[in-house]
Amino acid sequence: MAYALAVSPAGGSRTWTVLDSAYRTVLPVEDWLEAHRHLWSPNTVRGYATALAQWWTFLEQRGEADRWREVGVPAVSGFLSWLRNGRTVEHAIAVAGEAPSAQTLEARLAALISFYRWQEAVFEVPVARRLLRGVPRRRPARGLLAHLDARSAPGPSSLVRVRRPGGHQRPPVLLPQQIQAILDGCAVYDTGTGRWVGNLRDRLLFAVLAETGMRLGELLGMWISDFVMGRGGTPYVEVVPRENNPNGARVKMMRPRRVYVGADLERLFADYLTHLACRAAEGGIAVTAECPLWVNLDRPPLLAALREGTVRDKTETLRRKGIGPPGWTPHWFRHSHATTLLLAGTPEWVVARRLGHAQVQTTLDLYGWVREDEALRAAANWASHASSWRLIDAR
């Protein structure tokens, strides 16, 4: 059995690698991970390491670990069946009770294809061409705005697909009243005392996720200076790629961007910044614009950078209190943000830029159903459209 193992190299940040059943580093996987660690967030590295550890375990059970360069569609299809059957057998009469979701299987497949595409590009391992349809021998030159051209030739597609029950599943979203309940579950403003009651940091954190659509890793990597107050203009948040965040947070693919926000969020940020400065003064700790924005305020180590696990724990606490829909996660704010903008008529390319998607097609693949439903509903008022027709009797 192969393992995805967390490691902390001397002088480096925490990351993940893969060991085989003999506790040796799986070198092909390690080479691939190392080539991308500077681009991927730690969560992405962990997810890909987990996927490739499961793939290596599958190959070991089949006695084919030494033949990883020779696999094709049958082996990858068997891998998905093996995952679906609880990582025990490839074929089963009944589906395992704890079968992974279609999204999980797609993530595992995407990691595997990414691994083999890189192996082919660097070491000429010929597996990717067996798994993909339409792989070009030479990538043609693309113009600066080619990603906006709907006429661009489609990229290669996988010959192995994950079956989705009931068709494509829509990303889960939070309704406005649910978002408000989550914010109020963190902290509320007492007009009598003029103070916030509860955890103001958590309220601001979820409010920023809701209003910017940022990924959690992008948010946790913010410095105080990354929230730029308007001062008569429009306030905004700078998404800045950094490799030295003390909590290991990373901007996906290290792409910077700017996200404009409203005055209400700016006021909430100002209140939180005042609270942070007071707590720092009480502890005798200096705070500068280059300090992490999201920090521990009520437990040691004081003003240490907030970690993802703390946010997950806060989310679980709110869920146990019945606040928000069952199973919601911080990433649901991102889906809700995108859906709201598209329903309001915001152009897809603007939404893509705001979310940090490399291509507009990514936005359309995830949220295209929003505009599709809107267009279909427009046809529901058929009678009013038909009332303007003028039919001429030619008899």
Side-chain angles (χ1 to χ4, degrees):
M1 177 177 181
Y3 306 87
L5 184 68
V7 293
S8 298
S13 57
R14 188 169 183 249
T15 187
W16 279 261
T17 189
V18 176
L19 304 182
D20 63 15
S21 57
Y23 304 104
R24 298 168 301 191
T25 301
V26 180
L27 293 180
V29 176
E30 176 57 27
D31 290 341
W32 172 63
L33 293 175
E34 179 59 26
H36 297 87
R37 284 192 175 103
H38 69 289
L39 292 174
W40 295 339
S41 70
N43 284 336
T44 301
V45 175
R46 179 177 61 184
Y48 280 9
T50 299
L52 267 295
Q54 293 175 352
W55 169 246
W56 217 257
T57 299
F58 171 73
L59 292 179
E60 288 179 341
Q61 289 187 6
R62 298 180 83 184
E64 298 178 355
D66 293 336
R67 300 176 57 193
W68 64 273
R69 299 177 182 86
E70 304 169 14
V71 299
V73 170
V76 175
S77 299
F79 173 60
L80 294 179
S81 298
W82 178 78
L83 290 174
R84 195 177 290 112
N85 294 326
R87 287 182 274 172
T88 54
V89 294
E90 293 182 40
H91 307 287
I93 297 177
V95 178
E98 297 296 329
S101 66
Q103 294 93 326
T104 299
L105 293 176
E106 287 176 344
R108 300 292 185 260
L109 178 60
L112 189 60
I113 290 176
S114 175
F115 167 72
Y116 276 113
R117 292 188 72 176
W118 183 83
Q119 289 289 341
E120 180 172 26
V122 177
F123 298 112
E124 298 185 353
V125 175
V127 173
R129 68 189 66 172
R130 303 187 195 119
L131 303 179
L132 298 174
R133 178 192 296 112
V135 181
R137 294 186 177 182
R138 181 179 179 273
R139 186 177 296 275
R142 290 166 60 85
L144 180 63
L145 300 180
H147 62 284
L148 299 179
D149 190 353
R151 298 168 298 174
S152 298
S157 59
S158 174
L159 292 170
V160 183
R161 299 293 181 89
V162 176
R163 295 191 305 271
R164 279 181 171 269
H168 184 73
Q169 296 180 3
R170 298 174 177 178
V173 298
L174 295 164
L175 299 177
Q177 60 268 29
Q178 293 171 332
I179 294 177
Q180 190 61 51
I182 292 171
L183 300 183
D184 292 343
C186 297
V188 293
Y189 187 75
D190 188 340
T191 56
T193 61
R195 295 177 178 273
W196 286 95
V197 178
N199 194 316
L200 179 58
R201 179 204 66 195
D202 291 346
R203 182 182 177 102
L204 176 64
L205 186 148
F206 288 124
V208 171
L209 289 177
E211 189 161 335
T212 65
M214 293 171 65
R215 303 176 179 92
L216 184 57
E218 296 171 339
L219 179 135
L220 292 177
M222 288 178 62
W223 288 358
I224 293 175
S225 59
D226 294 339
F227 197 116
V228 181
M229 303 184 74
R231 297 182 175 86
T234 304
Y236 58 87
V237 172
E238 290 280 13
V239 180
V240 181
R242 298 186 180 95
E243 296 184 2
N244 59 344
N245 288 320
N247 56 3
R250 186 80 66 88
V251 173
K252 187 172 183 179
M253 300 304 292
M254 303 299 281
R255 294 192 182 97
R257 69 183 187 278
R258 177 176 295 181
V259 184
Y260 289 94
V261 297
D264 290 341
L265 191 63
E266 181 185 34
R267 285 191 291 269
L268 187 60
F269 166 75
D271 290 347
Y272 168 71
L273 196 58
T274 301
H275 178 53
L276 189 156
C278 291
R279 292 293 291 136
E282 293 170 3
I285 303 174
V287 175
T288 67
E290 284 71 39
C291 289
L293 176 60
W294 312 103
V295 294
N296 294 331
L297 295 175
D298 300 315
R299 62 182 182 182
L302 190 64
L303 299 193
L306 198 67
R307 294 187 175 273
E308 180 184 343
T310 304
V311 181
R312 302 289 183 188
D313 291 343
K314 178 63 179 181
T315 302
E316 178 61 28
T317 299
L318 292 171
R319 286 200 299 252
R320 285 199 301 265
K321 292 179 179 178
I323 299 175
W328 70 273
T329 70
H331 202 69
W332 286 29
F333 287 100
R334 182 173 171 85
H335 296 320
S336 306
H337 183 81
T339 301
T340 300
L341 290 179
L342 290 171
L343 285 174
T346 308
E348 288 88 349
W349 71 267
V350 175
V351 178
R353 287 284 299 274
R354 191 170 175 91
L355 294 178
H357 287 160
Q359 297 182 2
V360 176
Q361 189 59 47
T362 303
T363 309
L364 294 175
D365 289 344
L366 287 170
Y367 308 109
W369 63 271
V370 177
R371 290 288 172 81
E372 179 183 344
D373 279 6
E374 184 182 12
L376 291 174
R377 286 194 181 97
N381 199 14
W382 180 85
S384 65
H385 297 319
S387 64
S388 61
W389 292 0
R390 294 291 183 270
L391 300 180
I392 299 176
D393 192 347
R395 289 180 299 175

